[in-house]
Amino acid sequence: MASKQSTMDKSKPIEVSFSTLMKMGLSSKTEWPDTEIFLDWIYWSRQIVGLFLGLIWGVIPLTGFIGLIAFGLCSSGYVYLYCTTHNIDDEEHGGIWEIVKEGFMTNFASFLVTWIITYSCVHFDESLTAQQL
Amino acid sequence: MSLQIDALFIVGISLFTAFLGEGMTYLLVYRTEKYKKLKAEIEKQTKKLEKKKEVLGEAIDKQQKKKLERDEERLKNNNRDLSLVKMKSMFATGFAFTALLSMFNSIFDAKVVARLPFVPISFIQGLSHRNLPGSDFTECSFIFLYILCTMSIRQNVQKILGFSPSRAASKNNSIFAQPGQFK
């Protein structure tokens, strides 16, 4: 899934399991040895945040373009906050723009799917019943 | 309840097609020696080139410039070869998915599969409301939900299976990459 440069041999990629990646990401003392590993963490944590936001937006329900804009702000804000609270040197990983846009489109698609399906499942039958009444 | 079942069914279809597509690509491309060799070569060259650019910075002489250009050209050629290797699988999956898509399209024809929590912008409405009667643009067509699911699931499946190209390699291969930066 993820590749990492070993400290012994810089050109040889090594594998990092998903659970190790999660542990590394959640720890505040992690020193990211490789940009690919760090961006993998950003990618997967963003996916989880996107799914979570889609679920919440669908249940509330948050509708219209406010929902889309709120998602954009929350998703980018999460990455920015993570970098500032964990003292990440963004220049080391290609700049803050590269980090913020990492996996954004996939994240956006995952969010939309969760939002649409949750909204349809939770509220659509109710609104149909209300219309019929 | 049928609406919810349809929506979840479409997620299932996308999951199935994502794994099918990756499976077909594995059989036709990923397991071949040529692909493995080219991929390893590209990764190596990309890292080498990036490192060189980092070390040299802006101040480089003519000879170094020429060397970098030569490396870039070699990398470009390898990327082109890799695209050609991938081409046959792209055709095979393209044919298979077109057939599958037309079958599902006829199953879900004129059927609302989900309710959108927003009204899409006008140029998306053609897709999100495709083959649906009425003018309620919050109704979602099969194709729109399927595309969204595929965008989300395919990329993640590729990443989980380890088939996605490295960021450095895809950055160099992207249409936004500036060729001959050191000219």
Side-chain angles (χ1 to χ4, degrees), chain B residues 93-105:
Chain B
T93 47
F95 278 124
F97 288 154
T98 311
L100 271 174
L101 202 66
S102 58
M103 185 185 87
F104 287 121
N105 245 333

Side-chain angles (χ1 to χ4, degrees), chain B residues 58-71:
Chain B
E58 291 292 309
I60 48 171
D61 59 38
K62 228 175 180 180
Q63 211 175 354
Q64 286 167 329
K65 239 188 231 180
K66 263 190 180 166
K67 215 175 168 192
L68 271 176
E69 277 171 25
R70 226 178 11 242
D71 285 347

Side-chain angles (χ1 to χ4, degrees), chain A residues 1-2 4 14-27 30 32-33 37 40-41 44 82:
Chain A
M1 182 194 71
K4 176 186 169 184
I14 60 162
E15 295 291 315
V16 170
S17 70
F18 190 73
S19 56
T20 315
L21 190 69
M22 287 293 133
K23 273 181 206 157
M24 283 172 85
L26 293 172
S27 164
T30 299
W32 296 98
I37 307 280
D40 271 341
W41 157 253
W44 287 113
Y82 182 86

Side-chain angles (χ1 to χ4, degrees), chain B residues 32-46:
Chain B
T32 60
E33 277 307 311
K34 196 176 177 187
Y35 172 82
K36 283 179 193 168
K37 208 175 136 193
L38 273 172
K39 199 185 170 196
E41 187 73 19
I42 286 170
E43 303 269 319
K44 207 173 125 190
Q45 279 179 346
T46 308

Side-chain angles (χ1 to χ4, degrees), chain A residues 2-6 9 12-16 24 33-34 36-37:
Chain A
S3 59
K4 176 186 169 184
Q5 283 178 334
S6 134
D9 182 359
K12 197 180 173 193
I14 60 162
E15 295 291 315
V16 170
M24 283 172 85
D34 185 68
E36 287 277 313
I37 307 280

Side-chain angles (χ1 to χ4, degrees), chain B residues 26-148:
Chain B
Y26 174 78
L27 287 175
L28 294 169
V29 178
Y30 296 147
R31 67 174 183 160
T32 60
E33 277 307 311
K34 196 176 177 187
Y35 172 82
K36 283 179 193 168
K37 208 175 136 193
L38 273 172
K39 199 185 170 196
E41 187 73 19
I42 286 170
E43 303 269 319
K44 207 173 125 190
Q45 279 179 346
T46 308
K47 278 190 178 159
K48 210 172 135 189
L49 197 68
E50 270 194 353
K51 217 174 187 178
K52 251 188 198 173
K53 280 180 185 175
E54 237 171 65
V55 172
L56 293 172
E58 291 292 309
I60 48 171
D61 59 38
K62 228 175 180 180
Q63 211 175 354
Q64 286 167 329
K65 239 188 231 180
K66 263 190 180 166
K67 215 175 168 192
L68 271 176
E69 277 171 25
R70 226 178 11 242
D71 285 347
E72 277 183 347
E73 195 60 39
R74 208 177 300 148
L75 183 64
K76 222 188 280 174
N77 287 341
N78 276 336
N79 270 322
R80 198 193 49 216
D81 289 347
L82 191 74
S83 307
L84 283 174
V85 170
K86 281 182 177 173
M87 198 76 90
K88 62 176 176 183
S89 126
M90 271 166 65
F91 277 121
T93 47
F95 278 124
F97 288 154
T98 311
L100 271 174
L101 202 66
S102 58
M103 185 185 87
F104 287 121
N105 245 333
S106 58
I107 292 173
F108 290 104
D109 193 35
K111 208 170 175 189
V112 178
V113 295
R115 186 60 86 142
L116 298 175
F118 56 93
V119 179
I121 42 176
S122 54
F123 73 93
I124 307 255
Q125 283 172 3
L127 205 65
S128 70
H129 206 254
R130 178 164 292 206
N131 291 342
L132 294 182
S135 57
D136 182 358
F137 291 109
T138 59
E139 288 174 346
C140 178
S141 67
F142 159 76
I143 195 76
F144 185 63
L145 191 60
Y146 177 75
I147 289 171
L148 282 179

Side-chain angles (χ1 to χ4, degrees), chain A residues 35-48:
Chain A
T35 300
E36 287 277 313
I37 307 280
F38 172 67
L39 291 180
D40 271 341
W41 157 253
I42 292 292
Y43 179 91
W44 287 113
S45 60
R46 255 189 131 159
Q47 288 294 314
I48 296 166

